[in-house]
Amino acid sequence: MNSDNHSGIIWSLACLIILTLGAVLLATLVDRKHGASKLRSSLLGRIADGEHNLGNLRDELESLNARYDAAQDLAKRSAAGASSKGKLASEMRSSVELLRARCEELQASIPKLREEYGAYRESYRKKAWLEASGERIGNLLLKSGRSFEDVTISRVTPIGIEISHANGIARIDSQDLGGEFAERFQWDEKERALALQKELANRERITRVAPAEPSPPVDAPVEISGEELEKIRSQVRALQAKAMTLKGSIGTAERESRYASNRSVPGSLRTWAEQAMILKSDLARTEALLALAKDRLRAANPSDPLLLWTPAMR
């Protein structure tokens, strides 16, 4: 009885040991299988990451290759452009040198051209001035508004023109004539100013050295019509008024030349001193014309009241 019990216990223990070992073996196998699956999943994830990174690297490599090709193409174009620019710069340097040489040549020819032009202009002026003598131009209207009838040019001078007209003779300043006369006769302002200055100096010298001779006595009045006498009187009055105006203008110009802050005449390149000189010349010419007009009036009417008017001393 006891022997059977011991045998049953032993078999029970043996079975229990076998079951335990089987369970341990099975657990070991399960753990190994689970670990292998986990390792496999980890390896598959790493492989996927590697493939993804590899794809990115391939894309980056393609981008770098494209940029390298573009850089190579740009370098080739830059080299070609640099060569073209160098050639263009060389051509421009050659052009500049040619232009400088041409400029120097032209500058060297300017004095000769000016001399030739001056000679041609002087020849043309002399011819135009000579051809104008005796030319009838009919009625003449000046810039000042004054007009002359039946005008014939006596001669052309550096100052203007001398004419004969229906009522006598006159000298017209170039500045009082229209542009067609200036274009035709080519007056020079400096030459005109010098001529006026010389004329004024000669007049003053003659006035100082040789006083004016008295007019010869008139035995009997010259018979003229009343209309002609009135024209002469009108001319005398106009010249008297002009002489008075010129005297006032001369005084103003002389004051401005001494005291004005602006030395130039407004709207003109002339100085006040030059303006005074020109006005004095105009006054001398006006007084000479006035003397002629008064002589004509004296011959026609010796007792005319206009003969008693005497310009104030300058």
Side-chain angles (χ1 to χ4, degrees), residues 259-296:
Y259 305 117
S261 57
N262 186 5
R263 296 296 181 185
S264 297
V265 180
S268 172
L269 296 177
R270 269 192 228 112
T271 65
W272 282 109
E274 291 173 341
Q275 180 74 355
M277 180 185 68
I278 293 171
L279 291 172
K280 286 179 180 179
S281 178
D282 289 344
L283 178 59
R285 184 169 61 253
T286 300
E287 289 178 344
L289 293 174
L290 177 59
L292 292 174
K294 289 177 72 174
D295 286 343
R296 295 179 63 202

Side-chain angles (χ1 to χ4, degrees), residues 63-244:
S63 175
L64 290 174
N65 286 332
R67 290 171 63 184
Y68 175 77
D69 293 339
Q72 287 287 94
D73 185 54
L74 179 61
K76 291 178 181 179
R77 288 200 304 270
S78 298
S83 176
S84 176
K85 288 180 180 178
K87 183 179 180 181
L88 179 61
S90 177
E91 292 176 354
M92 290 180 68
R93 281 194 296 270
S94 299
S95 299
V96 168
E97 291 176 359
L98 290 174
L99 288 174
R100 284 178 178 171
R102 180 59 177 163
C103 183
E104 291 176 357
E105 181 181 347
L106 290 174
Q107 286 179 343
S109 67
I110 286 175
K112 183 179 179 181
L113 291 174
R114 284 179 176 170
E115 183 179 354
E116 291 177 354
Y117 171 75
Y120 166 77
R121 181 174 179 270
E122 188 60 28
S123 174
Y124 167 81
R125 288 206 317 162
K126 288 181 179 179
K127 182 179 179 182
W129 289 15
L130 288 174
E131 290 177 349
S133 298
E135 180 182 341
R136 296 175 61 87
I137 59 176
N139 297 336
L140 177 63
L141 178 63
L142 306 184
K143 291 181 180 179
S144 62
R146 191 178 179 188
S147 63
F148 298 92
E149 297 177 355
D150 192 20
V151 174
T152 300
I153 298 177
S154 300
R155 68 176 184 135
V156 183
T157 71
I159 298 173
I161 60 174
E162 296 177 359
I163 64 171
S164 61
H165 54 93
N167 297 321
I169 60 174
R171 186 172 74 174
I172 312 300
D173 194 289
S174 61
Q175 293 189 337
D176 207 12
L177 293 167
E180 67 277 8
F181 288 97
E183 181 69 21
R184 178 181 176 185
F185 297 126
Q186 292 290 310
W187 284 299
D188 184 86
E189 181 60 28
K190 291 183 179 180
E191 186 179 7
R192 173 181 173 275
L194 288 174
L196 288 172
Q197 185 178 9
K198 183 178 180 180
E199 183 180 274
L200 179 60
N202 289 338
R203 180 178 175 81
E204 291 178 347
R205 179 177 56 81
I206 293 172
T207 302
R208 287 195 304 268
V209 176
E213 296 181 357
S215 300
V218 179
D219 295 333
V222 177
E223 293 294 335
I224 60 173
S225 65
E227 182 180 355
E228 183 67 22
L229 177 61
E230 187 56 36
K231 284 185 178 180
I232 297 174
R233 298 184 83 252
S234 297
Q235 187 178 16
V236 170
R237 282 195 296 267
L239 290 170
Q240 288 173 343
K242 184 176 181 180
M244 292 296 295

